[in-house]
Amino acid sequence: MKQQLWKMILFTTLVLSALGISGCGGGSSDTTPTPTPTPTPAVTTLSGTAAAGAPVIGSVTIKDSSSPTRKEKTVTILADGKYTVDVSDMTAPFAMRADGNVGGREYHLYSAATQADVGGTVNITPFTDLIVANIAGDIAANFYNNNTYAALTKADLDAAQTALKAKLQPILTAVGLGDSIDLLRTAFSADHQGLDGVLDVLKVTVDPTTKTAEIKNIINNAAISDDLKSRADTSAFTTQDASGVAGGLTDLQGILKGFDDFSALMATSLPRADNAQLLALFDQATFMDDGENLAAFLGDITTDPIIIGLKFAAITVVSLDPVAGAAEVTFVPLLQGQTQGNEIVKWKIVRKNNVWLMQGSQRIAQTEIEVQSQLNTNAGSATPQIQTGFWLNIEDRGARGINTAIVKGPGLPVGGVTLIKNIASNRFGFSIQQPPFNPGNSFVSMDDATVGAIPDTGAIYTFELRDAGNVIMATYTETIRKRPYKLSELTTASFPIITAPSPTALGAFTGGSLTVSWTMPAGLQISFVGAYLRGPQGSAEVNVDPALTATSTTLTILPQTSTGTPITITGRGLNIQGVDNFGRSLSTQQ
């Protein structure tokens, strides 16, 4: 009996335990209650990629639909084109604008999003610009600026995205993208693959007057026109228009890989000029860059410490002929993470034995425009002097026998200006017969009216290089990314501030070590520090390119000429130069 009773008690206990019920204790429990999960916070950001065949170097501004005052935020685009903005305190729908540079050219691209997009991806590209424009029946800038997006719906975005995808489908198919691709919302990287590869192949140009857009395939030059005013426009690429795209994209990626390999060799140190991997990137038989052959070019870049860490930003293939095996690219060189110069750098690329090789600029001399504003704190006046304009930099690096150069373009006299060669330096300056320009100098000083006559972006200048017989040897063009600052846009606070040495200490400097320190105004990065000593016997100077994070450096300058002749010092000077996001230089001279 007892055995059976204990068996029944044991059985009952096991059953109750299995059911999660305590067999004793009158309401208490030995089991630990399962904690309630903490809800995952809702994502309240919009993020994506801002690119146009390469990452946009610049910022994204987003406006919401708050009333009566719309909220606006601006965030910096990362180096890979990614952006993220917190919209938790903003009201949908949203309009977005990416401002910056790609391939040295200024871009303003637009996009849009609704509440349904919050927490997801919304890209900003030439394609999203077209999506917005087709919804608006106008250029995307007007849609953004006129605040006409408050009634925007997800259905509007979906319909416009689908319509644009139908126009591009043969090209999308040629690069391996399926029907599921969303030109607005598909996450992608600016790595020349997938959707980014399509942005490399298709170039969009919008005419704000006719409100039409041309979409051009750079592989075979096939193009369609998109009438932004008409939603009934059904123009589209054909299968024939997509011919050669797959192979052309492979060529394009091969070209870009060469620049990646170039950067990799310079990442942490400088290779030897005869490094086999380095030489393999160039067409050794035809290379010429601004008059220098390959040996001279590599001799320069493999001995200059500033080249360590070299990168190429916003590499854009301007033209590509897969049949001829020829291409042209533009890019922005980054030294210490900083853009170098205002103009667009353009190189030729050639395919030999199925490998794309760099040929350099293929120019016989250096021609360059450096947009610059100057603050002179030692101009013999109690008031610091500000000048603005640009330097015309011409150098016969290859000693090709160039004698004069005539430069024409916006902001210059109708007939242009003539510069003559300084035999000792192979550089060019104005002649004494050409007032108001300073003889031997090449700085063009401008007033506000002159600057105002220059296009805000993309101004083009022509350089005619002539020999001693006045025969034209070559003609080149240079495009500047941004016009000079107007004098009315500048104050002394726009320029770097020299905190050491003081004017008195600099005036007493007679050579040796000189510690220089500075502060930079917002929006400028340090690019150059230089000092000189001058006397009847000649001059001595030293120039350095400090690290971007530096706020001081020490220069060593001896009071003697390059030939060792002692200088009786009658003058000395200091120059600190910063550069803005468009490559325009602002320098302080003391």
Side-chain angles (χ1 to χ4, degrees):
M1 284 290 292
K2 290 183 178 179
Q3 187 176 10
Q4 290 178 341
L5 179 60
W6 282 111
K7 285 183 177 179
M8 290 178 65
I9 294 172
L10 179 60
F11 175 77
T12 302
T13 301
L14 291 173
V15 170
L16 292 174
S17 177
L19 293 174
I21 303 173
S22 175
C24 61
S28 66
S29 173
D30 293 329
T31 60
T32 303
T34 303
T36 302
T38 302
T40 302
V43 179
T44 56
T45 60
L46 287 171
S47 60
T49 301
V56 176
I57 302 173
S59 62
V60 167
T61 299
I62 182 169
K63 294 199 300 184
D64 78 349
S65 298
S66 298
S67 180
T69 303
R70 298 177 186 272
K71 292 181 180 178
E72 185 173 303
K73 291 183 180 180
T74 299
V75 297
T76 300
I77 301 169
L78 301 180
D80 60 0
K82 303 292 186 184
Y83 82 93
T84 298
V85 59
D86 183 359
V87 295
S88 59
D89 59 343
M90 303 180 80
T91 302
F94 309 100
M96 290 167 283
R97 184 187 68 217
D99 302 305
N101 292 276
V102 178
R105 285 183 288 272
E106 185 174 358
Y107 273 77
H108 303 281
L109 299 172
Y110 296 84
S111 190
T114 66
Q115 184 62 42
D117 295 305
V118 175
T121 295
V122 176
N123 298 313
I124 310 175
T125 70
F127 297 157
T128 68
D129 192 284
L130 286 177
I131 289 170
V132 168
N134 277 287
I135 291 173
D138 198 349
I139 61 173
N142 289 342
F143 177 82
Y144 180 93
N145 294 328
N146 297 337
N147 299 325
T148 54
Y149 52 86
L152 181 71
T153 66
K154 182 178 184 299
D156 293 332
L157 288 172
D158 290 345
Q161 189 277 146
T162 300
L164 179 59
K165 186 166 65 174
K167 293 176 180 291
L168 309 182
Q169 194 57 59
I171 310 296
L172 299 175
T173 301
V175 301
L177 294 177
D179 292 339
S180 63
I181 188 74
D182 186 322
L183 301 176
L184 176 68
R185 304 181 181 95
T186 296
F188 75 97
S189 297
D191 58 2
H192 311 292
Q193 308 288 328
L195 182 55
D196 193 56
V198 180
L199 290 167
D200 285 325
V201 170
L202 296 180
K203 301 303 178 186
V204 178
T205 306
V206 177
D207 186 330
T209 302
T210 63
K211 296 181 180 177
T212 58
E214 181 191 63
I215 310 173
K216 184 176 182 180
N217 175 357
I218 69 166
I219 304 299
N220 57 22
N221 293 320
I224 61 172
S225 180
D226 182 5
D227 184 353
L228 305 178
K229 305 182 298 299
S230 172
R231 296 192 182 186
D233 179 9
T234 58
S235 58
F237 285 108
T238 66
T239 302
Q240 181 61 34
D241 292 335
S243 64
V245 165
L249 185 57
T250 299
D251 283 328
L252 186 148
Q253 291 165 348
I255 292 169
L256 298 171
K257 182 179 182 301
F259 284 92
D260 289 341
D261 292 344
F262 195 175
S263 293
L265 286 170
M266 303 289 178
T268 58
S269 61
L270 294 175
R272 289 169 51 95
D274 60 357
N275 180 286
Q277 290 177 290
L278 182 62
L279 290 171
L281 301 175
F282 302 93
D283 183 16
Q284 300 179 45
T286 65
F287 182 92
M288 180 169 61
D289 188 60
D290 293 349
E292 289 187 327
N293 60 22
L294 185 59
F297 174 79
L298 294 182
D300 288 342
I301 68 169
T302 59
T303 55
D304 188 349
I306 195 176
I307 301 294
I308 296 174
L310 169 70
K311 293 185 181 297
F312 300 95
I315 305 170
T316 303
V317 177
V318 177
S319 64
L320 172 61
D321 186 339
V323 176
E328 189 170 63
V329 302
T330 60
F331 58 87
V332 177
L334 297 181
L335 300 179
Q336 300 185 20
Q338 178 177 290
T339 58
Q340 299 296 306
N342 184 277
E343 76 291 340
I344 299 170
V345 179
K346 186 179 294 185
W347 270 17
K348 305 284 188 181
I349 313 290
V350 65
R351 186 180 60 213
K352 291 187 175 181
N353 299 320
N354 291 321
V355 177
W356 287 94
L357 304 172
M358 301 177 187
Q359 291 181 295
S361 67
Q362 290 291 292
R363 295 185 172 193
I364 64 172
Q366 179 195 41
T367 58
E368 176 189 36
I369 295 181
E370 180 184 351
V371 177
Q372 186 176 113
S373 301
Q374 303 172 352
L375 169 66
N376 191 336
T377 62
N378 189 29
S381 170
T383 303
Q385 303 297 303
I386 296 178
Q387 285 185 298
T388 193
F390 48 65
W391 289 95
L392 298 174
N393 297 324
I394 305 168
E395 186 175 0
D396 186 8
R397 293 179 174 178
R400 308 271 174 170
I402 304 166
N403 188 61
T404 59
I406 298 176
V407 185
K408 302 176 182 178
L412 297 176
V414 175
V417 293
T418 300
L419 297 94
I420 59 176
K421 183 177 181 179
N422 180 322
I423 302 300
S425 66
N426 286 325
R427 294 181 180 273
F428 289 66
F430 298 121
S431 68
I432 195 169
Q433 291 83 17
Q434 199 163 8
F437 308 114
N438 294 327
N441 201 332
S442 62
F443 182 74
V444 180
S445 182
M446 299 178 175
D447 57 24
D448 279 10
T450 303
V451 174
I454 299 174
D456 186 55
T457 62
I460 299 174
Y461 295 83
T462 301
F463 290 69
E464 289 181 359
L465 306 182
R466 299 173 178 249
D467 65 14
N470 207 34
V471 176
I472 297 177
M473 302 174 65
T475 300
Y476 301 127
T477 59
E478 297 288 351
T479 304
I480 60 174
R481 292 159 54 194
K482 196 77 168 175
R483 65 157 173 79
Y485 285 99
K486 293 181 179 179
L487 290 170
S488 58
E489 296 170 334
L490 297 168
T491 68
T492 55
S494 305
F495 296 84
I497 298 173
I498 301 174
T499 55
S502 67
T504 301
L506 180 64
F509 179 63
T510 58
S513 294
L514 179 68
T515 298
V516 182
S517 60
W518 60 86
T519 59
M520 285 284 159
L524 288 192
Q525 293 181 326
I526 184 67
S527 64
F528 169 88
V529 177
Y532 70 84
L533 297 173
R534 185 168 31 198
Q537 299 83 6
S539 62
E541 65 179 68
V542 61
N543 303 309
V544 298
D545 301 290
L548 293 182
T549 56
T551 57
S552 67
T553 190
T554 298
L555 309 177
T556 300
I557 180 170
L558 300 178
Q560 60 186 36
T561 66
S562 59
T563 59
T565 303
I567 297 173
T568 303
I569 301 172
T570 57
R572 67 265 299 155
L574 181 63
N575 183 9
I576 296 184
Q577 181 173 292
V579 64
D580 70 8
N581 290 333
F582 295 100
R584 295 179 292 189
S585 299
L586 291 97
S587 68
T588 300
Q589 301 171 4
Q590 180 172 291

